[in-house]
Amino acid sequence: MASPDGHISPRRYLSIFALIVAALYSLVFFTGDGSLAPKLGIDLQGGTRVTLTARTTDGQPPSNEQLTQARNIIETRVNGMGVQGSEVTQDGSNLVITVPGEGGEEAKQLGQTAQLNFRKVVPNMTMPANPGAQPGQAPGPGQQQPPAPGQPAPSGQGPAGTAPQDARTQQDDSGDQSREDAQRQQAIAQAKQTRQSTDPATQMQALTQLDCNAEDPLRGNDDPSLPLVTCGQDKQEKFVLEPVFLEGREIANASAQPPNQQSGQSGWSVNLEFKSGGASTWADFTSANVNQRAAFVLDSQVVSAPNINEPLLGGNANITGQFNQQSATQLADVLKYGSLPLAFDQSEAETVSASLGLASMEAGLIAGGIGLLLVAVYCLFYYRMLGILTILSLILSGAIVYGVLILLGRWIGFTLDLAGIAGFIIAIGITADSFIIFFERLKDEIREGRTFRSSVPRAWVRSRRTILSADAVSFLAAAVLYVLAVGQVKGFAFTLGMSTVLDLIVVFLVTHPLVVLASKNKFLSKPSVTGLGAVQRMGAEQRAARKRSASTAKEA
Amino acid sequence: MTTPETPGATEPTSVWQRLHTGTGAFDIVGNRKRFYAMFALLIAVCAGTMGIKGFNFGIDFVGGTKIQMPAVGAQGPITTDQVEDAYQDALGRGPETVQLVGAGDSETIQIRTESLNTQDVNVLKEGLFDSLQPVGANGQPTPQAISDSAVSGTWGGEITQQAVLALVVFLVLVTVFLAFYFERWMAVAALVALLHDIVVTMGVYAILGFEVTPATVIGLLTILGFSLYDTVVVFDKVKENTRGILGLTRRTYSEAANLAVNQTLMRSINTSIVALLPVLGLLVVGSGLLGVGVLRDLALVQLTGMLAGVVSSVLLATPLLVDFKMRDPKYRAQEAKVQQRRRRRAAQEAGEELPEEEEISVRDASKDTVSARREREMAAASSPAARTGKGPESRPQGKSGRPTGKKRR
């Protein structure tokens, strides 16, 4: 940047910096929504964050396609919650759900694979969803079959979703929640009252009134111990179902079966294998309910309701219907995983209250302020005039950091969290240190007897190299952390790395030019102002001594 | 400090001034055996404690649930006993720990338990709200004032695994960087100092029983950056001071290195202070205001690591470098020449006849440890640098002043 001998024209560099700042802030003000607040993480503004880690049955890393698909599904579910600013991001093989503000409790349920239950269809209580629809298209009046030979062995992996989902406690205290939320809770309660009633008359009424095209508030919220009135997933048929007799977690494996001419099966089917407990329940149920229909209910919707032709004792079930390869595979996956293409473990779930977020935010800002103040006081005490330059540079550095922060929040969705704030605070030291390297070099030069003015370019050339290499190491550490680490680490590494880079800009374009300007100013380069008096005296002695030793050497 | 180069400056100087001006005259390289012993002891203690006592891992590693809520309820302050009762009522069993953290308005109650499922968390939060009525930001009791975080044990494992991976990758990259940037032995010395920092920081955590959280692990990695950074600066100066030293007899490698440490000492101290001040602020605010959390965890590990880092870069890295360098016969030969020149010069100053030139072997030089002369040599070495080989006037002129071994290599 500077010419090799360290002489530069300071005004040019300062104006380059001014241009950069102007460009940065015109982007801040004139692009996006022009808001001056960086995007905050939920630990600073309150909210819920859930980290879901994909778990595959074979321990292999999940494919990107699966993750993207899962992300889309979860995103749909998150949007269904209706909280502004919610998002789902992919971080390695993790999905991170963030729901800002209050009312994000539900997000903790979202990653659970959908709830699959088996209910018995109440006979003669079904009806087509739309009066005009043809009953012939109703799904799933299939026949079951004995398990096909040559079936792959069960993998032993059950579906995820270990926590019962029925207890949604949000219904109790909705006083402080948004109106929408309250309405939602009310709708659920109401739907439960009518559609989960044990009274056949109410059931019948609910069945006729049920509109399969409308959003179902009960979705995933039904009580398994009560009957349920609901629609088929394809909106063709409405059912009255008995309480859950078998839960989906009893399924050990599910797979799509290609057409098998030998056994006279013309279309694709889905084969289920139960765990031992599930297998006996299934055997009992099918024995007791031959010629009845069993409904596979996913998130309160009937996926398939096949007819039971004979008792099924082998721990297997075969669902036939109008499947093609794709739909059979899809259903098998749904049954295996819920409706997500992958099973997810909830690695981390955090709800931060708005007041705690606010307190953290304040603590972070106070800590940063104290840090800056302490550094400023120390620099003033130790470097006097140079200390003022340091403070000025730190402030300018802070200004561009803030600008970049806002822009990154807009462009790449970068959110500032508590760890990120810590990164900035720690970076204050690293930023100030670049100045210290330079100033100490300056002292070295003066100690050797040079004037302040002539020392500046020499000191700069020498310290520039050190600053660059030292910053390179810092940046390396931050970059490695950012690329490899997971979770909150990323925010910390990002802000640290960013500060390091911005620090270089400030040192090169502001601090050095300012010192050059100061060295050319008579008042500013006075020893009492620079705080370099002691060193300068030493330098003078050094000079005298050198002369002396030179002369003694000559005499000798 | 009176040195041969500055005979006029006889006024006594304080330690502060020595530090400030960088003349230093702290014999760090010369006392290296003592420092090595100190470091060896320190590392032994740290490693031993880690082995015996182990670490206090936070819930992120072992898995668990943490509930946090304001310590003020609608009926006034909430006590930990009340919380334990409410917990018992809600779940029918007791929590692991309940503690009051933070201060003032931000005072909170923290409950730690084994992993609870979502349902239990909801039941618990409800129970806590019903019996304690914690007051939210707007001054009204609200269940939203209760925060919770649940972490599965495997997640901590994953974080640790990634952190270890990051550590290894970082060390490899840094070794490559140092090997290109510095000489081989500098890279080795810097890495040894780095390992020391890791061990000592971890040891302090083991000894004091601080909770190890993912934030701690992150902090450890950033310390490495800082520690290396510090070493890089010192070694940069060593490199500068020892440029072409083999062709000169002004000072030995170890003296030049010691001078470099002294010249950068104030910078090291300043850097550490400047870096530590914000960290201290972070620690005070993080633990004082918020009690426990990311801020405190990060600050604590940084504080420990930075102290270890600056101490090791000054007292360990450079002495090690000197020892490594001195394994090279070229540097030992140079040292011998320096000693020889000094003897000759001392004799000359005393007005004695110069003895016939004798070949000084490396072994002679190593025996040459008369304490009186050492003093003088130290002083000479720690005088401010006249840039090596710069001006003609800085070197003795004339035939008699020219060191005998100069042209021989």
Side-chain angles (χ1 to χ4, degrees), chain A residues 105 349 351 378 433 447 484 545, chain B residues 21 125 148 150 162 229 270-271:
Chain A
E105 286 283 326
T351 299
Y378 184 79
D433 188 54
R447 193 189 301 125
L484 289 178
Chain B
T21 52
K125 284 173 82 169
D148 69 275
Q162 288 295 108
Y229 176 112
N270 271 346
T271 301

Side-chain angles (χ1 to χ4, degrees), chain B residues 217-232:
Chain B
V217 180
I218 314 160
L220 190 65
L221 278 165
T222 45
I223 294 165
L224 303 186
F226 181 83
S227 158
L228 265 179
Y229 176 112
D230 218 41
T231 314
V232 162

Side-chain angles (χ1 to χ4, degrees), chain A residues 463-543:
Chain A
S463 54
R464 191 173 56 193
R465 216 178 85 98
T466 311
I467 293 171
L468 281 174
S469 52
D471 272 358
V473 172
S474 287
F475 186 75
L476 194 66
V480 169
L481 263 181
Y482 183 74
V483 172
L484 289 178
V486 285
Q488 295 186 15
V489 183
K490 272 196 183 327
F492 178 77
F494 192 91
T495 53
L496 198 64
M498 187 173 92
S499 299
T500 314
V501 173
L502 296 181
D503 162 50
L504 279 182
I505 293 179
V506 170
V507 170
F508 274 84
L509 295 184
V510 179
T511 317
H512 175 222
L514 282 182
V515 173
V516 171
L517 280 182
S519 74
K520 288 175 179 164
N521 182 302
K522 219 175 203 153
F523 168 74
L524 289 179
S525 49
K526 271 206 296 204
S528 58
V529 180
T530 56
L532 296 170
V535 184
Q536 226 152 18
R537 272 195 302 281
M538 276 217 40
E541 283 160 10
Q542 181 88 20
R543 230 178 349 221

